[in-house]
Amino acid sequence: MKVISVLSRKGGVGKTLVSVGVAQVLGAAGHRVALLDRDPEGSAMGWQHGAQKGEVPLPYQVIGPIEATSMVGLDFLVVDTPPNDIRILQDTARQSHVLLVPLLPGAGEMDRLQETVQALSEVELQQGVQLGFVLNRMEHDNVSAAMGPTLEQLGYPVVAQIRKAVDYQRAFGNMIPAHLTPPFKEALTNLGVHL
Ligand SMILES: Nc1ncnc2c1ncn2[C@@H]1O[C@H](COP(=O)(O)OP(=O)(O)OP(=O)(O)O)[C@@H](O)[C@H]1O
Ligand SMILES: [Mg+2]
């Protein structure tokens, strides 16, 4: 089982969106996938709750840590994490094979990113772990355009860019529309995960 976790010390950057998107594209490709919600506020759980009311069944389950221990035969476990709990962040990172760090465009966002990088640097990560940064809520402006080069200069690999689109918000608790899933596939492909 490959563990893919989505982490950031900052709130509201798109951890839950990226977790759900990655789980969806893996599940839709036929892999056995679970999405583990390590957020005590349960944002990924809320997604599942919404889905039960929707028409299209999700190609993955959302589970809590307890169910997780009893799950066997998974190909992928995608882990959504809370922003303000360094213990959960580091514990999750330690057990992960792929780490995805979403961030938003903006100068101040870089400082917050360092907190996440610092937290990860304190952990003994799995051998061969893959780390990728996902730029989220990208717009057609100079601030967004500057983000990619800035990250690359720091040696932080950008594996996908997600544009700002109200359709992501509207998808809450349901399938993300197909035309909005390419960034999740791209992130996985860039990190060597085959769909
Ligand atoms: N690319 C996007 N375009 C438009 N809205 C977005 C986008 N990404 C995220 N959002 C919206 O921004 C909000 C925060 O996203 P999300 O819940 O995924 O972040 P998070 O990092 O999981 O937050 P938290 O730290 O609170 O768990 C949500 O309302 C979500 O719908
Ligand atoms: Mg969340």
Side-chain angles (χ1 to χ4, degrees), residues 141-177:
D141 60 19
N142 294 339
V143 176
S144 289
M147 291 303 288
T150 305
L151 286 164
E152 297 290 350
Q153 255 171 28
L154 287 166
Y156 297 167
V158 176
V159 292
Q161 305 199 7
I162 304 173
R163 66 189 169 87
K164 182 176 175 180
V166 71
D167 282 355
Y168 283 116
Q169 254 158 304
R170 291 207 186 105
F172 187 87
N174 224 315
M175 293 289 275
I176 295 169

Side-chain angles (χ1 to χ4, degrees), residues 15-16 39 43 80:
K15 293 178 294 298
T16 298
D39 188 342
S43 35
D80 184 21

